[in-house]
Amino acid sequence: MTATHTAGPPQGGLRRIADLPGPPGRPLVGNLFQLKRDVIHQGVERWCRQYGSLFKFRIGRRQLLVVADHALIADVLRDRPQGWRRTQQLQVVSREMGLKPGLFGAEGEAWRAQRRMVMSGLDPSRVRAYFPSLQRVTERLHRRWLQAANEGRALPLQPELMRYTVDTVAGLAFGRDINTLESDGDIIQQHLDRIFPALFRRLMAPLPYWRWFKLPADRALDRSVATVKQAIAEFVTEARERLRTDPTRREQPPNLLEAMIVAAEEGRTGIGDEQVSANVLTMLLAGEDTTANTLAWLLHLLHRHPAVMARARDEAMRVADKAEPLTPEDLAQLDYIEACLHETMRLKPVAPFLVFEALRDTRLGDVQVPAGTLLWCAMRHDSVSAQHFPEPWSFDPERWIGENAGHGKRVASPFGGGPRMCPGRYLALIEMKMLLAMLLTRFDIQSVTAPGGAEAEERMSFTMVPVGLSMRLRAR
């Protein structure tokens, strides 16, 4: 089956969404109370196994069409931004929180203009030029973790990883060394951590209560958004000052923020002061959350699979345990570690589902899809299907080595696909390989523990996070 745009009326033989199977619901609320917000992805995945790759469900007045077939999802991703957009609900809730749409939330021509600039700011040549700064950030993390190891302290894993990713993104994209790794006071990462979870809660809320009254958590959110906005204003002011005192930076801006400021001042289409600030926030949020949570899932899985851990360490010792600083060419040799990353993203994608809105009448396989339809893409369904991966729930990085890797990359798409594929994927892989090379050559991982000592629980908080992981290290 393929997803096809139809310019005219739907062709004969197409099913309507009303004809599709789906879980029975209740009057007014539909299937609302059959889904738990924190694990909503798991609930829809269970329905996928029951009702197939195309079905429907309803939350209140909102009916959603679910697609779980990776080939159909790929067609939808390729048809963005012409045929599909992020939901209007996302834009409304984001603006109510005081968040402006950067590249993540922009649509149409505004997205195209911003996309070119962000892609340029994150292309491999820029990341390679930033490599010495990435090494400094990684060395700070090493010192921080060495102190914890010497003191016998457990590290709260996600906050630690988020400090690392925030420092990395701020240095590369904004030319700012914010150094949260060596700060223990009020740091920007603590405020960033409130924004994505709050956005997810509001998107999933049956009633927008915050429009009438605010709970203590909502007031704390307002303070965090204001603090982050103030920090962004300082980033922009500092960047403008660098451009003023060194006009040569305008010819070839050394980072994304300065490139956006120059574009805004020159009046290029789609880039203004609002887009500059919005994309700073987008980079901080997206760059922090997704990479840090993927690393947390990987460390949890490595610790639970000692043979895989041993092989990954052997590779890191062979490539990265040397006196000279690592180079991008060194990281490119970490094939097994990269396979571990891909296997982690297959099993534990930080975005196990995506929701879009149809911009025009179209079709999805043999289903007629009217404009305005909400589409739930169950991104993980085929990635953990025995039809595509033998023993699909096993953690087996070998799947990503050799000729098998091609099929896997077509089925599992953790960075999205089509024109709106994640522009930071190269940076994310470099960050993760750099951290793992440091960790595996300089420490033994004594434990990565979830509450209760069992498998880490999945929780949706805009991205899918492992609940409550802590890590203990021993210096080598």
Side-chain angles (χ1 to χ4, degrees):
M1 293 192 298
T2 58
T4 307
H5 168 56
T6 54
Q11 302 299 310
L14 292 181
R15 293 184 291 169
R16 300 175 304 162
I17 294 175
D19 300 329
L20 297 177
R26 299 176 181 176
L28 299 179
V29 298
N31 306 107
L32 175 64
F33 297 115
Q34 297 165 255
L35 294 167
K36 295 181 180 179
R37 183 184 64 199
D38 288 352
V39 289
I40 190 171
H41 62 299
Q42 294 177 356
V44 176
E45 287 171 353
R46 283 193 296 271
W47 286 340
C48 291
R49 294 190 289 272
Q50 182 175 356
Y51 296 106
S53 61
L54 283 167
F55 65 94
K56 66 180 187 294
F57 74 96
R58 186 165 57 88
I59 298 180
R61 293 179 298 175
R62 291 178 288 181
Q63 180 174 263
L64 291 98
L65 169 63
V66 178
V67 57
D69 179 273
H70 73 277
L72 291 180
I73 291 173
D75 286 338
V76 169
L77 296 176
R78 282 192 292 268
D79 196 23
R80 298 178 67 210
Q82 293 87 355
W84 300 88
R85 56 166 289 161
R86 298 190 190 276
T87 67
Q88 294 186 56
Q89 176 77 354
L90 175 61
Q91 288 197 344
V92 169
V93 171
S94 296
R95 287 194 175 276
E96 286 177 340
M97 289 173 58
L99 311 177
K100 297 180 174 64
L103 183 68
F104 179 82
E107 298 292 342
E109 290 304 318
W111 168 78
R112 289 183 178 87
Q114 295 177 51
R115 171 76 172 185
R116 287 190 293 270
M117 187 149 295
V118 172
M119 287 293 289
S120 174
L122 295 176
D123 72 17
S125 65
R126 296 271 188 177
V127 175
R128 284 170 174 267
Y130 175 70
F131 208 77
S133 297
L134 176 58
Q135 290 174 319
R136 285 196 297 273
V137 172
T138 307
E139 188 55 38
R140 287 173 185 166
L141 182 65
H142 169 246
R143 291 195 298 269
R144 182 181 177 90
W145 284 2
L146 181 60
Q147 182 177 353
N150 290 337
E151 295 172 359
R153 284 189 290 110
L155 292 159
L157 191 51
Q158 287 153 286
E160 291 292 308
L161 295 170
M162 286 179 178
R163 286 175 184 254
Y164 171 73
T165 53
V166 165
D167 285 4
T168 298
V169 168
L172 171 64
F174 317 137
R176 172 72 181 271
D177 185 7
I178 61 176
N179 196 7
T180 68
L181 285 166
E182 295 179 329
S183 303
D184 288 317
D186 186 36
I187 57 174
I188 189 173
Q189 177 247 328
Q190 294 170 340
H191 298 284
L192 291 168
D193 287 351
R194 289 196 178 102
I195 294 176
F196 263 170
L199 178 58
F200 180 71
R201 286 195 302 271
R202 291 188 178 186
L203 285 170
M204 295 296 167
L207 288 173
Y209 70 87
W210 56 89
R211 296 174 186 168
W212 303 297
F213 63 91
K214 291 192 175 184
L215 301 173
D218 299 303
R219 291 191 288 273
L221 171 66
D222 290 342
R223 292 191 294 271
S224 287
V225 170
T227 299
V228 170
K229 283 185 170 181
Q230 178 60 37
I232 290 171
E234 292 173 5
F235 292 169
V236 173
T237 298
E238 292 171 2
R240 290 189 190 279
E241 180 62 17
R242 291 194 296 268
L243 290 167
R244 187 190 67 79
T245 56
D246 184 3
T248 61
R249 298 174 77 95
R250 292 180 172 275
E251 300 300 319
Q252 194 168 10
N255 57 66
L256 175 60
L257 176 55
E258 291 178 37
M260 288 192 295
I261 290 172
V262 170
E265 291 177 351
E266 292 177 354
R268 297 184 205 169
T269 303
I271 303 292
D273 288 345
E274 180 175 299
Q275 285 72 38
V276 171
S277 297
N279 278 300
V280 172
L281 179 59
T282 296
M283 289 292 300
L284 284 171
L285 286 172
E288 171 212 39
D289 201 76
T290 54
T291 304
N293 282 314
T294 298
L295 280 167
W297 281 118
L298 172 59
L299 293 176
H300 175 62
L301 290 167
L302 282 178
H303 186 258
R304 293 180 72 83
H305 296 83
V308 176
M309 170 98 79
R311 182 169 171 183
R313 173 175 285 115
D314 288 346
E315 182 180 70
M317 296 295 290
R318 175 176 54 80
V319 172
D321 188 27
K322 57 181 186 176
E324 302 83 16
L326 285 177
T327 66
E329 290 71 26
D330 291 328
L331 296 189
Q333 297 179 52
L334 298 176
D335 295 328
Y336 189 72
I337 286 175
E338 182 166 330
C340 292
L341 288 167
H342 285 297
E343 181 70 345
T344 299
M345 291 185 286
R346 180 186 72 84
L347 287 171
K348 302 293 185 181
V350 292
F353 68 90
L354 298 172
V355 181
F356 301 123
E357 183 176 333
L359 289 171
R360 61 194 179 196
D361 292 347
T362 188
R363 56 183 282 190
L364 197 58
D366 66 345
V367 176
Q368 172 186 340
V369 181
T373 296
L374 296 181
L375 180 71
W376 182 292
C377 297
M379 304 296 289
R380 183 166 64 170
H381 178 265
D382 277 3
S383 297
V384 292
S385 166
Q387 179 181 351
H388 299 287
F389 296 95
E391 299 183 25
W393 285 103
S394 297
F395 181 61
D396 181 11
E398 288 285 343
R399 305 179 201 273
W400 301 95
I401 296 174
E403 60 184 22
N404 295 327
H407 175 70
K409 290 179 180 178
R410 287 190 294 274
V411 176
S413 50
F415 294 108
R420 297 198 68 152
M421 180 178 285
C422 173
R425 58 193 181 278
Y426 181 76
L427 171 62
L429 289 171
I430 288 288
E431 281 182 271
M432 292 189 286
K433 286 183 176 182
M434 179 73 86
L435 182 143
L436 288 164
M438 179 275 289
L439 176 62
L440 294 172
T441 57
R442 302 191 188 183
F443 297 97
D444 290 322
I445 301 175
Q446 292 184 298
S447 66
V448 178
T449 311
E455 185 78 19
E457 294 182 10
E458 300 174 354
R459 182 178 65 201
M460 283 306 306
S461 183
F462 201 83
T463 54
M464 189 180 81
V465 304
V467 178
L469 291 179
S470 61
M471 179 172 69
R472 289 185 181 274
L473 300 173
R474 181 175 60 238
R476 293 177 68 86

Coordinates of all heavy atoms in Angstrom, one line a residue, residues 204-265:
M204 N -2.3 16.9 26.0 CA -3.1 15.7 26.3 C -4.2 16.0 27.3 O -5.0 15.1 27.6 CB -2.2 14.6 26.9 CG -1.2 14.1 25.9 SD -2.0 13.3 24.5 CE -0.6 13.1 23.3
A205 N -4.3 17.2 27.8 CA -5.4 17.5 28.8 C -6.8 17.5 28.2 O -6.9 18.1 27.1 CB -5.1 18.8 29.4
P206 N -7.8 16.9 28.8 CA -9.1 16.9 28.3 C -9.7 18.3 28.3 O -10.6 18.7 27.5 CB -9.9 16.0 29.2 CG -9.1 15.9 30.4 CD -7.7 16.1 30.0
L207 N -9.3 19.2 29.2 CA -9.8 20.5 29.3 C -8.6 21.5 29.6 O -7.7 21.2 30.4 CB -10.8 20.7 30.5 CG -12.2 20.1 30.3 CD1 -13.0 20.2 31.6 CD2 -12.9 20.7 29.2
P208 N -8.6 22.7 28.9 CA -7.5 23.6 29.1 C -7.7 24.5 30.3 O -7.9 25.7 30.3 CB -7.6 24.5 27.8 CG -9.0 24.5 27.4 CD -9.6 23.1 27.9
Y209 N -7.6 23.9 31.5 CA -7.9 24.5 32.8 C -7.1 25.8 33.0 O -7.5 26.7 33.6 CB -7.7 23.5 33.9 CG -6.3 23.2 34.2 CD1 -5.5 24.0 35.0 CD2 -5.7 22.1 33.6 CE1 -4.1 23.7 35.2 CE2 -4.3 21.9 33.8 CZ -3.6 22.7 34.6 OH -2.2 22.4 34.8
W210 N -5.8 25.8 32.5 CA -4.9 26.9 32.7 C -5.4 28.2 32.1 O -4.8 29.2 32.5 CB -3.5 26.5 32.1 CG -3.6 26.2 30.7 CD1 -3.4 27.0 29.6 CD2 -3.8 24.9 30.1 NE1 -3.6 26.4 28.4 CE2 -3.8 25.1 28.7 CE3 -4.0 23.6 30.6 CZ2 -4.0 24.0 27.8 CZ3 -4.2 22.6 29.7 CH2 -4.2 22.7 28.3
R211 N -6.4 28.1 31.2 CA -6.9 29.4 30.7 C -7.8 30.1 31.7 O -8.1 31.3 31.6 CB -7.7 29.1 29.4 CG -6.9 28.5 28.3 CD -7.7 28.1 27.1 NE -6.9 27.5 26.1 CZ -7.3 26.8 25.0 NH1 -8.6 26.7 24.9 NH2 -6.5 26.2 24.1
W212 N -8.2 29.4 32.7 CA -9.1 30.0 33.8 C -8.4 30.1 35.1 O -8.7 31.0 35.9 CB -10.4 29.1 33.9 CG -11.1 28.9 32.6 CD1 -11.7 29.9 31.8 CD2 -11.3 27.7 31.8 NE1 -12.2 29.4 30.7 CE2 -12.0 28.1 30.7 CE3 -10.9 26.4 32.0 CZ2 -12.4 27.1 29.7 CZ3 -11.3 25.5 31.1 CH2 -12.0 25.8 29.9
F213 N -7.5 29.2 35.5 CA -6.8 29.2 36.7 C -5.5 28.5 36.6 O -5.4 27.6 35.7 CB -7.6 28.7 37.9 CG -8.0 27.2 37.8 CD1 -7.1 26.3 38.3 CD2 -9.1 26.8 37.1 CE1 -7.4 24.9 38.2 CE2 -9.4 25.5 37.0 CZ -8.6 24.5 37.5
K214 N -4.5 28.8 37.4 CA -3.2 28.2 37.3 C -2.9 27.5 38.7 O -3.0 28.1 39.7 CB -2.1 29.2 37.0 CG -2.3 29.7 35.5 CD -1.1 30.5 35.1 CE -1.2 30.9 33.6 NZ 0.0 31.5 33.1
L215 N -2.4 26.3 38.5 CA -1.9 25.5 39.6 C -0.5 25.9 40.0 O 0.2 26.6 39.1 CB -2.0 24.0 39.3 CG -3.4 23.5 39.0 CD1 -3.2 22.0 38.5 CD2 -4.3 23.6 40.2
P216 N 0.1 25.5 41.1 CA 1.5 25.8 41.4 C 2.4 25.4 40.3 O 3.4 26.1 40.0 CB 1.7 25.1 42.7 CG 0.4 25.0 43.4 CD -0.6 24.9 42.3
A217 N 2.2 24.2 39.7 CA 3.1 23.8 38.6 C 3.0 24.7 37.4 O 4.0 24.9 36.7 CB 2.7 22.4 38.2
D218 N 1.9 25.3 37.1 CA 1.7 26.2 36.0 C 2.5 27.5 36.3 O 3.1 28.1 35.4 CB 0.3 26.5 35.7 CG -0.5 25.3 35.4 OD1 -0.1 24.6 34.4 OD2 -1.5 25.0 36.1
R219 N 2.4 28.0 37.6 CA 3.2 29.2 37.9 C 4.7 29.0 37.9 O 5.4 29.8 37.4 CB 2.7 29.7 39.3 CG 1.3 30.2 39.3 CD 0.9 30.9 40.6 NE 0.8 30.0 41.7 CZ -0.3 29.4 42.0 NH1 -1.4 29.6 41.3 NH2 -0.4 28.5 43.1
A220 N 5.1 27.8 38.3 CA 6.5 27.4 38.2 C 7.0 27.4 36.7 O 8.1 27.8 36.4 CB 6.8 26.1 38.9
L221 N 6.1 26.9 35.9 CA 6.4 26.8 34.4 C 6.5 28.2 33.9 O 7.5 28.5 33.1 CB 5.3 26.1 33.7 CG 5.3 26.2 32.2 CD1 6.5 25.5 31.6 CD2 4.0 25.6 31.6
D222 N 5.7 29.2 34.3 CA 5.8 30.5 33.8 C 7.1 31.1 34.2 O 7.7 31.9 33.4 CB 4.6 31.4 34.4 CG 3.3 31.0 33.8 OD1 3.2 30.4 32.7 OD2 2.2 31.4 34.4
R223 N 7.5 30.9 35.4 CA 8.8 31.4 35.9 C 10.0 30.8 35.1 O 10.9 31.5 34.7 CB 9.0 31.1 37.4 CG 8.1 31.9 38.3 CD 8.5 31.8 39.7 NE 8.3 30.5 40.3 CZ 7.2 30.0 40.8 NH1 6.1 30.8 40.9 NH2 7.2 28.8 41.3
S224 N 9.9 29.5 34.8 CA 10.9 28.9 34.0 C 11.0 29.4 32.6 O 12.1 29.6 32.1 CB 10.7 27.4 34.0 OG 11.1 26.8 35.3
V225 N 9.8 29.6 32.0 CA 9.8 30.1 30.6 C 10.4 31.5 30.6 O 11.2 31.9 29.7 CB 8.4 30.1 30.0 CG1 8.3 30.9 28.7 CG2 7.9 28.7 29.8
A226 N 10.1 32.3 31.6 CA 10.6 33.7 31.7 C 12.1 33.6 31.8 O 12.9 34.4 31.2 CB 10.0 34.5 32.8
T227 N 12.6 32.7 32.7 CA 14.1 32.6 32.9 C 14.8 32.2 31.6 O 15.9 32.7 31.3 CB 14.4 31.6 34.0 OG1 13.7 32.0 35.2 CG2 15.9 31.4 34.2
V228 N 14.2 31.2 30.9 CA 14.9 30.7 29.7 C 14.9 31.9 28.6 O 15.9 32.1 27.9 CB 14.1 29.5 29.2 CG1 14.6 29.1 27.8 CG2 14.4 28.3 30.1
K229 N 13.8 32.6 28.5 CA 13.7 33.7 27.6 C 14.8 34.8 27.9 O 15.4 35.3 27.0 CB 12.3 34.3 27.6 CG 11.2 33.5 26.9 CD 9.9 34.3 26.8 CE 8.9 33.7 25.9 NZ 7.7 34.4 25.9
Q230 N 15.0 35.0 29.2 CA 16.0 36.0 29.6 C 17.4 35.5 29.2 O 18.2 36.3 28.7 CB 15.9 36.3 31.1 CG 17.0 37.2 31.6 CD 16.9 38.6 31.0 OE1 15.8 39.1 30.7 NE2 18.1 39.2 30.7
A231 N 17.6 34.2 29.4 CA 18.9 33.7 29.0 C 19.1 33.7 27.4 O 20.2 34.1 27.0 CB 19.0 32.2 29.4
I232 N 18.0 33.5 26.7 CA 18.1 33.6 25.2 C 18.4 35.0 24.8 O 19.2 35.3 23.9 CB 16.8 33.1 24.6 CG1 16.7 31.5 24.8 CG2 16.7 33.4 23.1 CD1 15.4 30.9 24.4
A233 N 17.7 36.0 25.5 CA 18.0 37.4 25.1 C 19.5 37.7 25.4 O 20.1 38.5 24.6 CB 17.1 38.3 26.0
E234 N 20.0 37.2 26.4 CA 21.5 37.4 26.7 C 22.3 36.8 25.6 O 23.3 37.4 25.1 CB 21.8 36.9 28.1 CG 21.2 37.7 29.2 CD 21.4 37.0 30.5 OE1 22.2 36.0 30.6 OE2 20.9 37.5 31.5
F235 N 22.0 35.5 25.2 CA 22.7 34.9 24.0 C 22.7 35.8 22.8 O 23.8 36.0 22.2 CB 22.1 33.6 23.7 CG 22.2 32.5 24.7 CD1 21.5 31.3 24.6 CD2 23.0 32.6 25.8 CE1 21.6 30.3 25.5 CE2 23.1 31.6 26.7 CZ 22.4 30.4 26.6
V236 N 21.5 36.3 22.5 CA 21.4 37.2 21.3 C 22.2 38.5 21.4 O 22.9 38.9 20.5 CB 19.9 37.4 21.0 CG1 19.7 38.4 19.8 CG2 19.2 36.1 20.7
T237 N 22.1 39.1 22.6 CA 22.8 40.4 22.8 C 24.3 40.1 22.7 O 25.0 40.9 22.1 CB 22.5 40.9 24.2 OG1 21.1 41.2 24.3 CG2 23.3 42.2 24.5
E238 N 24.8 39.1 23.3 CA 26.3 38.8 23.2 C 26.7 38.5 21.7 O 27.7 38.9 21.3 CB 26.6 37.6 24.1 CG 26.5 37.8 25.5 CD 26.6 36.6 26.4 OE1 26.8 35.5 25.8 OE2 26.5 36.6 27.6
A239 N 25.8 37.8 21.0 CA 26.2 37.5 19.6 C 26.2 38.8 18.8 O 27.0 39.0 17.9 CB 25.2 36.5 19.0
R240 N 25.2 39.7 19.0 CA 25.2 40.9 18.3 C 26.5 41.8 18.6 O 27.0 42.4 17.7 CB 24.0 41.7 18.7 CG 22.7 41.2 18.1 CD 21.5 42.2 18.4 NE 20.2 41.6 18.1 CZ 19.7 41.4 16.9 NH1 20.4 41.8 15.8 NH2 18.5 40.9 16.8
E241 N 26.9 41.7 19.8 CA 28.1 42.4 20.2 C 29.3 41.9 19.5 O 30.2 42.6 19.1 CB 28.3 42.4 21.7 CG 29.5 43.2 22.3 CD 29.5 44.7 22.0 OE1 28.4 45.2 21.6 OE2 30.5 45.3 22.0
R242 N 29.4 40.5 19.4 CA 30.5 39.9 18.7 C 30.6 40.4 17.2 O 31.6 40.6 16.7 CB 30.5 38.4 18.8 CG 30.7 37.8 20.2 CD 31.0 36.3 20.1 NE 29.8 35.6 19.7 CZ 28.9 35.1 20.5 NH1 29.0 35.3 21.8 NH2 27.9 34.4 20.0
L243 N 29.4 40.4 16.6 CA 29.3 40.9 15.2 C 29.7 42.3 15.1 O 30.2 42.8 14.1 CB 27.9 40.6 14.7 CG 27.5 39.2 14.5 CD1 26.0 39.0 14.3 CD2 28.2 38.6 13.3
R244 N 29.3 43.1 16.1 CA 29.6 44.6 16.0 C 31.1 44.8 16.2 O 31.7 45.6 15.4 CB 28.9 45.3 17.1 CG 29.0 46.9 17.0 CD 28.4 47.5 18.3 NE 29.2 47.2 19.5 CZ 30.4 47.9 19.7 NH1 30.9 48.8 18.9 NH2 31.1 47.6 20.8
T245 N 31.7 44.1 17.1 CA 33.2 44.4 17.4 C 34.1 43.7 16.3 O 35.2 44.1 16.2 CB 33.6 43.9 18.8 OG1 33.2 42.5 18.9 CG2 32.8 44.7 19.8
D246 N 33.6 42.7 15.7 CA 34.4 42.0 14.7 C 33.5 41.8 13.4 O 32.9 40.7 13.2 CB 34.8 40.6 15.2 CG 35.7 39.9 14.2 OD1 36.1 40.4 13.2 OD2 36.1 38.7 14.5
P247 N 33.5 42.8 12.5 CA 32.6 42.8 11.3 C 33.0 41.6 10.4 O 32.1 41.2 9.6 CB 32.9 44.1 10.7 CG 33.4 45.0 11.8 CD 34.2 44.1 12.7
T248 N 34.2 41.1 10.5 CA 34.5 40.0 9.6 C 33.7 38.7 9.8 O 33.5 37.9 9.0 CB 36.0 39.6 9.7 OG1 36.3 39.2 11.1 CG2 36.9 40.8 9.4
R249 N 33.1 38.6 11.0 CA 32.3 37.5 11.4 C 31.0 37.5 10.5 O 30.4 36.4 10.3 CB 31.9 37.5 12.8 CG 33.0 37.4 13.8 CD 32.6 37.6 15.2 NE 32.0 36.4 15.8 CZ 32.6 35.4 16.5 NH1 33.9 35.6 16.7 NH2 31.9 34.4 16.9
R250 N 30.6 38.6 10.0 CA 29.4 38.7 9.1 C 29.6 38.0 7.8 O 28.6 37.5 7.2 CB 29.0 40.1 8.9 CG 28.5 40.9 10.1 CD 28.1 42.3 9.8 NE 27.5 42.9 11.0 CZ 26.2 42.8 11.3 NH1 25.4 42.1 10.5 NH2 25.7 43.3 12.4
E251 N 30.8 37.9 7.3 CA 31.0 37.3 6.0 C 30.8 35.8 6.1 O 30.3 35.2 5.1 CB 32.5 37.6 5.5 CG 32.7 39.1 5.4 CD 31.8 39.7 4.4 OE1 31.5 39.1 3.3 OE2 31.3 40.9 4.6
Q252 N 31.3 35.2 7.2 CA 31.1 33.8 7.3 C 30.9 33.5 8.8 O 31.7 33.1 9.6 CB 32.4 33.0 6.9 CG 32.1 31.5 6.7 CD 33.3 30.8 6.0 OE1 34.3 31.4 5.8 NE2 33.1 29.6 5.7
P253 N 29.6 33.7 9.3 CA 29.3 33.5 10.7 C 29.7 32.2 11.2 O 29.5 31.1 10.6 CB 27.8 33.7 10.7 CG 27.4 34.5 9.5 CD 28.4 34.0 8.5
P254 N 30.4 32.2 12.4 CA 31.0 30.9 12.9 C 30.0 30.0 13.6 O 30.3 28.9 14.0 CB 32.1 31.4 13.9 CG 31.6 32.7 14.3 CD 30.9 33.3 13.2
N255 N 28.8 30.5 13.8 CA 27.8 29.6 14.5 C 26.4 30.0 14.0 O 26.2 31.0 13.3 CB 27.9 29.8 16.0 CG 27.7 31.2 16.5 OD1 26.6 31.8 16.4 ND2 28.8 31.7 17.1
L256 N 25.4 29.1 14.3 CA 24.1 29.3 13.8 C 23.4 30.6 14.3 O 22.7 31.3 13.5 CB 23.2 28.1 14.3 CG 21.7 28.1 13.9 CD1 21.5 28.2 12.4 CD2 21.0 26.9 14.5
L257 N 23.6 30.9 15.5 CA 22.9 32.1 16.1 C 23.4 33.4 15.3 O 22.6 34.2 14.9 CB 23.2 32.3 17.6 CG 22.7 33.6 18.2 CD1 21.2 33.7 18.0 CD2 23.0 33.5 19.7
E258 N 24.7 33.5 15.1 CA 25.2 34.7 14.4 C 24.7 34.7 12.9 O 24.4 35.8 12.4 CB 26.7 34.8 14.5 CG 27.2 35.1 15.9 CD 28.7 35.1 16.1 OE1 29.4 35.6 15.2 OE2 29.2 34.7 17.2
A259 N 24.6 33.5 12.3 CA 24.1 33.5 11.0 C 22.7 33.9 10.9 O 22.3 34.6 10.0 CB 24.2 32.0 10.4
M260 N 21.9 33.5 11.9 CA 20.5 33.9 11.9 C 20.3 35.4 12.1 O 19.5 36.1 11.5 CB 19.7 33.2 13.0 CG 19.4 31.7 12.6 SD 18.3 30.9 13.7 CE 19.2 30.9 15.2
I261 N 21.2 36.0 13.0 CA 21.1 37.4 13.3 C 21.5 38.2 12.0 O 20.8 39.2 11.6 CB 22.1 37.8 14.4 CG1 21.5 37.3 15.7 CG2 22.3 39.3 14.5 CD1 22.5 37.4 16.9
V262 N 22.5 37.8 11.3 CA 22.9 38.5 10.0 C 21.7 38.4 9.0 O 21.4 39.4 8.4 CB 24.2 37.9 9.5 CG1 24.4 38.4 8.1 CG2 25.4 38.1 10.4
A263 N 21.1 37.2 8.9 CA 20.0 37.1 8.0 C 18.8 38.0 8.3 O 18.2 38.6 7.5 CB 19.6 35.6 7.9
A264 N 18.5 38.1 9.6 CA 17.4 38.9 10.1 C 17.7 40.4 9.8 O 16.9 41.2 9.3 CB 17.2 38.7 11.6
E265 N 19.0 40.8 10.0 CA 19.3 42.2 9.8 C 19.3 42.6 8.3 O 19.1 43.7 7.9 CB 20.7 42.5 10.4 CG 20.7 42.5 12.0 CD 22.0 42.7 12.6 OE1 23.0 42.7 11.8 OE2 22.1 42.9 13.8

